[in-house]
Amino acid sequence: MSVEHVKQQATEIWSNIQYEVDGGIGTRAHIGMVVICNDQTLSHEARAMLTIPGIALYESRIGRGSSPEQRKKPLSIGLLEETFDGLDEAIQQINTMRRSDVVALGCTSAAMVIGPQELERRVRNVHPEARVTDPFAAILSALRALGSARVGFVSPYPRQIAEKMIRGIETAGVKVPIAATFHNATGLVRNEAPFISPVSISNAVRQVSDSADLDTVVIACTQMRAAAIINELEHQTGKLIISSNQAICWHALRLAECRDVIGGWGRLFERDLQQS
């Protein structure tokens, strides 16, 4: 049939269909997530953990990426302090139709450096009623909920960043007798973090678990592909396992007053919030 012939045809019957409206996807809660532009893992793991009836997850990205020269620089406090520049716009872009009940900011080390009070202030400049979480605040909340007292720490961070995060955990009253960081003498872990295999993460957790008297192991960094191996690691090691992405998803749900017990993502998802 020629294009000319198609244009000459007309639709003969049109119907007006009545419809009903409901609460949409997020009938229980809307969770908004701001993800760093180079993050390869958080979005994937969050969608797996937060696929729950009535829970809507929307996200935006923040940052403009790094130049080749910038990508050669190791992670530093100075770089982390700039991570959430442009946060107002990123929050506004999460969902222009409905505000988020909870806003989750996705970078463990940057959130630790900037601090939860400052991040909450920035979010509430845009969404005054939103509850706010970030991976480091969520890890601290998870440690309280699980009653953790002695923690092993695994991360891809340089020593300066890892030590600062460990001090933050210890300030919350939890001892950290052992820590391990991923290292590659010929590469830059900052760029390779999302490609560290789950097998390597499992090996690091087991090594830390076997080397000290612990009740919990924390796997820090949203780039770590750890969520899918948490159950197995808890069974193998007998320890509680917390990852950045697992903690932020759990914390966002609990802040949204979703108290469902969800299997498959570790014992943390069996717990409710505990007051600090």
Side-chain angles (χ1 to χ4, degrees):
M1 183 181 294
S2 69
V3 173
E4 182 179 356
H5 188 195
V6 170
K7 288 181 178 179
Q8 292 174 353
Q9 292 181 338
T11 301
E12 296 181 358
I13 300 174
W14 282 91
S15 298
N16 291 325
I17 306 299
Q18 297 298 310
Y19 60 89
E20 298 178 351
V21 296
D22 59 19
I25 296 172
T27 53
R28 300 174 66 191
H30 279 231
I31 295 173
M33 189 169 282
V34 177
V35 181
I36 306 306
C37 64
N38 68 345
D39 194 300
Q40 307 294 300
T41 309
L42 176 55
S43 296
H44 174 77
E45 292 193 343
R47 295 212 170 272
M49 286 183 275
L50 296 178
T51 300
I52 301 167
I55 302 298
L57 174 63
Y58 300 100
E59 72 169 66
S60 67
R61 293 259 167 172
I62 191 169
R64 295 180 175 84
S66 303
S67 68
E69 289 303 314
Q70 289 173 321
R71 285 195 292 271
K72 295 177 183 178
K73 296 179 180 179
L75 192 65
S76 67
I77 298 293
L79 286 173
L80 291 171
E81 288 173 339
E82 300 172 357
T83 298
F84 288 112
D85 289 354
L87 184 59
D88 286 13
E89 182 179 359
I91 293 169
Q92 290 168 350
Q93 291 177 349
I94 291 171
N95 187 337
T96 60
M97 183 169 283
R98 187 189 186 282
R99 291 187 173 188
S100 303
D101 300 302
V102 177
V103 174
L105 307 175
C107 180
T108 316
S109 51
M112 179 267 303
V113 167
I114 297 169
Q117 291 82 13
E118 173 61 15
L119 291 174
E120 184 172 300
R121 183 192 67 79
R122 294 189 196 180
V123 170
R124 289 187 170 168
N125 281 341
V126 183
H127 289 343
E129 305 300 322
R131 307 293 297 273
V132 184
T133 186
D134 65 71
F136 188 59
I139 287 170
L140 297 180
S141 185
L143 291 170
R144 288 193 298 270
L146 292 168
S148 301
R150 293 178 60 83
V151 169
F153 183 84
V154 174
S155 82
Y157 303 137
R159 184 79 173 261
Q160 179 192 26
I161 307 299
E163 287 181 339
K164 185 175 179 63
M165 194 169 291
I166 289 168
R167 288 197 300 271
I169 293 172
E170 291 177 332
T171 299
V174 179
K175 294 182 179 179
V176 185
I178 186 169
T181 59
F182 291 104
H183 175 71
N184 182 354
T186 62
L188 192 61
V189 178
R190 174 191 172 198
N191 297 329
E192 295 178 345
F195 308 106
I196 294 173
S197 71
V199 171
S200 296
I201 297 170
S202 294
N203 290 341
V205 169
R206 285 195 292 268
Q207 179 179 323
V208 165
S209 298
D210 292 341
S211 301
D213 179 21
L214 309 172
D215 51 50
T216 306
V217 178
V218 169
I219 306 166
C221 184
T222 60
Q223 297 273 32
M224 295 285 94
R225 290 179 287 153
I229 59 175
I230 288 174
N231 267 8
E232 180 183 3
L233 285 172
E234 288 190 334
H235 177 73
Q236 290 176 348
T237 65
K239 315 299 182 185
L240 299 161
I241 307 294
I242 300 171
S243 79
S244 287
N245 294 345
Q246 171 220 37
I248 196 172
C249 290
W250 166 81
H251 200 216
L253 284 175
R254 297 304 186 251
L255 290 176
E257 300 185 357
C258 175
R259 297 183 173 87
D260 300 30
V261 174
I262 302 166
W265 309 108
R267 281 177 277 176
L268 177 60
F269 272 87
E270 300 172 2
R271 303 298 178 92
D272 206 345
L273 295 174
Q274 298 293 322
Q275 297 298 319
S276 57

